[in-house]
Amino acid sequence: MNSSSLQSGAAGQTAARPLGVLAALPQELGDLIAAMQAESGVTTRTLGRRDYHIGTVHGVPCVVTLARVGKVAAAATVSALIHVFDVEAVVFTGVAGGVGPDVHVGDVVVGETLLQHDMNAEPLFPRHEIPLLARSRFDADRALAAALAAACERFIEEEGTALAERFSAALPRFETALPRVHRGLVISGDQFVASAAAVGDLRAALPDALAVEMEGAAIAQVCYEYDVPCAVVRTISDTADEHASTSFSSFLTEIAGTYSTGILRRFLASWTPAQR
Ligand code: SAH
């Protein structure tokens, strides 16, 4: 184990700093808290109206929590993970709307870069630039993103055909073809995007955007400010058009947990400090 990943425990021995794992909504965590309960037991601390679950899951010490929805909620939660729980890195898992032309319901997007699409302090600052931070795009940690993408690829290789068969009947918009893993730009804003016109505007402004959601770039900004590695993985629940709210709701209830469970299990089992 890398000595930079160690800190002194209460009894003087060294202990690994935990990984922060968060989602907006409970379905997006899959079986993570139950798996932690079974593996190590769970200690729960409540702070800022959120429950932080502390324990070990798939061999990794973790703090698992729900941010709820939106950029402020996400920023507040990740700030607590950093300052109160001293996490070494942060992983966000959840669903998103597909924006890229080849991004379909059931695909997975791993964020390599994140941007707040609703930030606009023009004419004082260029569109999307975070005032006084001199940047609009925040990078995910390369090693974390690569490990997440590898876990997604393995999940789809091993379970993708069964997923497509199982869910295409329940969800007409779930592509029957094998789901794909994409890597690139994820955009965040305090809007649930649900019209073809809105998607068109996002594509025109940000042609390389793959997925739209409401938390990722806020987390990436806070992690950038504190030099904490972070990564975001999003399963596509809808295509941010007029069908978005029904597609999102059924995907969240019926499918999101299966993806998160399958991806996080593989990611955590493969995750060691040497990868960072
Ligand atoms: N609590 C409500 C609202 C969820 S908002 C509910 O359960 O119905 C949608 C959530 O999913 C956000 O956390 C966002 O990150 C993600 N999301 C999925 N599709 C989206 C879209 N088309 N536009 C924006 N966010 C989307």
Side-chain angles (χ1 to χ4, degrees):
M1 191 177 280
N2 178 338
S3 64
S4 70
S5 69
L6 301 175
Q7 65 175 3
S8 289
Q13 76 274 47
T14 54
R17 288 165 66 201
L19 177 71
V21 181
L22 74 163
L25 306 166
Q27 296 88 341
E28 295 173 318
L29 283 179
D31 72 351
L32 197 65
I33 295 170
M36 179 186 268
Q37 180 67 55
E39 191 168 325
S40 69
V42 176
T43 304
T44 299
R45 189 163 162 202
T46 304
L47 203 65
R49 305 190 184 205
R50 292 175 181 83
D51 290 336
Y52 293 83
H53 305 286
I54 305 154
T56 298
V57 57
H58 304 303
V60 180
C62 289
V63 182
V64 178
T65 190
L66 292 174
R68 298 194 291 267
V69 176
K71 293 187 299 170
V72 172
T77 309
V78 81
S79 182
L81 282 173
I82 293 169
H83 294 110
V84 180
F85 297 96
D86 191 31
V87 295
E88 180 168 29
V90 170
V91 169
F92 188 101
T93 173
V95 298
V99 171
D102 296 327
V103 179
H104 302 292
V105 172
D107 285 356
V108 186
V109 173
V110 176
E112 286 184 332
T113 313
L114 298 106
L115 172 147
Q116 294 167 35
H117 68 78
D118 56 353
M119 173 55 75
N120 190 353
E122 283 179 329
L124 303 175
F125 297 91
R127 189 169 176 197
H128 302 135
E129 184 170 306
I130 307 297
L132 312 181
L133 212 52
R135 63 169 57 223
S136 57
R137 293 179 183 232
F138 298 92
D139 291 332
D141 180 74
R142 276 167 175 254
L144 269 183
L148 268 178
C152 295
E153 296 283 3
R154 280 202 304 281
F155 168 65
I156 286 178
E157 206 178 290
E158 290 164 15
E159 297 189 30
T161 309
L163 281 178
E165 275 170 20
R166 181 168 152 209
F167 295 128
S168 54
L171 266 189
R173 296 182 64 75
F174 193 100
E175 296 291 315
T176 44
L178 206 57
R180 290 175 54 204
V181 181
H182 309 264
R183 297 172 67 167
L185 177 65
V186 171
I187 57 176
S188 314
D190 285 325
Q191 287 114 34
F192 183 75
V193 180
S195 77
V199 176
D201 290 346
L202 290 174
R203 283 183 180 158
L206 297 159
D208 55 336
L210 297 177
V212 62
E213 37 86 311
M214 302 177 69
E215 297 85 17
I219 288 164
Q221 179 181 333
V222 175
C223 285
Y224 167 80
E225 290 171 349
Y226 288 99
D227 288 322
V228 172
C230 77
V232 172
V233 59
R234 293 281 185 173
T235 304
I236 300 304
S237 57
D238 60 88
T239 40
D241 54 13
E242 281 72 6
H243 307 282
S245 67
T246 45
S247 184
F248 162 79
S249 301
S250 19
F251 198 96
L252 187 70
T253 325
E254 296 173 38
I255 310 180
T258 305
Y259 271 79
S260 287
T261 297
I263 293 167
L264 289 175
R265 174 158 60 80
R266 288 168 176 84
F267 164 71
L268 290 170
S270 74
W271 194 76
T272 62
Q275 282 182 292
R276 281 159 287 149

